[in-house]
């Protein structure tokens, strides 16, 4: 099962620019998480935001959550070539993680 | 802490054979584990949820007789792809629930059926 949409599906930016990815979901959630995946590899947990939180920061990452619109955004500031990866949101409801479609981010040096 | 070790990382098998993928929790007890499948350029699709000592719960559309899940101990869950066919070629990832909101993932298994 798939929880919702992410946009854009692909994003290409220059190093130093900010990257914003959006995620929408369908059901009520306990929390929403963002993960990163390098090509063909496992997942790296980036940040978790609870349903009663609206914004959260971690280093160069900023996540927002709007439960009324059932949407979230991930902002990566001052991007680096090493940030090139796929980024997925995942909603935690009912004790399991359901992933969005993902955004493929390419940061050009 | 909370590491899940997944093996093998890559496997190539002949069509019609069965393949077993193992996920072990190294430093914690995994009461609940999840199995995902990921096709190229796509997202992770949840296949099933397994609880230690009980039958797995499969997501809609996943054939439970084809994808056998065993969670016989608190540190080991296995996924067996039976009678594999080329369309089963995919990236399989396990995940364990460690605390509220907390999940840890294995490194994945790339299955190629020839």
């Amino acid at each position: 099962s798939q929880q919702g949409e992410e946009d854009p599906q692909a994003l290409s930016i220059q190093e130093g620019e900010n990257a914003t990815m959006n995620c929408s979901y369908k059901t009520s959630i306990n929390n929403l998480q963002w993960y990163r995946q390098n090509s063909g590899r496992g997942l790296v947990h980036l940040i978790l935001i609870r349903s009663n939180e609206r914004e959260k920061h971690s280093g160069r990452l900023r996540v927002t959550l709007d439960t009324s619109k059932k949407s979230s955004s991930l902002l990566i500031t001052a991007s680096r070539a090493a940030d090139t990866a796929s980024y997925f949101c995942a909603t935690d409801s009912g004790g399991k993680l359901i992933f969005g479609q993902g955004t493929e981010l390419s940061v050009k040096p | 802490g909370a590491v899940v070790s997944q093996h093998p990382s890559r496997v190539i098998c002949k069509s019609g054979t069965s393949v077993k993928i193992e996920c072990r929790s190294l430093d914690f007890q995994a009461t609940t584990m999840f199995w995902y499948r990921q096709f190229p350029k796509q997202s992770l699709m949840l296949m099933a949820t397994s609880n230690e000592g009980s039958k797995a719960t499969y997501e809609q559309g996943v054939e439970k007789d084809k994808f056998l899940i065993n969670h016989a101990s608190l540190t080991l869950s296995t996924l067996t792809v039976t009678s594999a066919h080329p369309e089963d070629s995919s990236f399989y990832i396990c995940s364990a629930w460690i605390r509220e909101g907390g999940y840890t993932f294995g490194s994945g298994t790339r299955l190629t059926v020839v």
Side-chain angles (χ1 to χ4, degrees), chain A residues 12-99:
Chain A
S12 182
I13 58 175
Q14 292 294 131
E15 209 166 27
E17 294 180 339
N18 296 341
T20 300
M21 291 160 265
N22 302 294
C23 165
S24 63
Y25 57 93
K26 299 175 182 173
T27 64
S28 60
I29 62 173
N30 297 322
N31 62 73
L32 185 144
Q33 305 179 31
W34 284 89
Y35 287 84
R36 166 197 167 124
Q37 184 183 37
N38 287 77
S39 180
R41 310 286 287 275
L43 292 169
V44 175
H45 179 264
L46 295 176
I47 196 165
L48 178 154
I49 186 165
R50 301 189 189 284
S51 60
N52 61 354
E53 297 176 310
R54 292 297 165 258
E55 188 171 313
K56 205 161 182 180
H57 298 253
S58 176
R60 293 185 295 116
L61 306 179
R62 173 178 166 252
V63 169
T64 63
L65 179 64
D66 187 335
T67 53
S68 66
K69 295 181 179 178
K70 289 187 166 58
S71 67
S72 175
S73 68
L74 170 67
L75 168 67
I76 303 175
T77 60
S79 64
R80 305 166 182 168
D83 294 329
T84 295
S86 293
Y87 292 82
F88 296 93
C89 68
T91 52
D92 186 352
S93 55
K96 57 185 179 182
L97 272 185
I98 303 297
F99 285 81

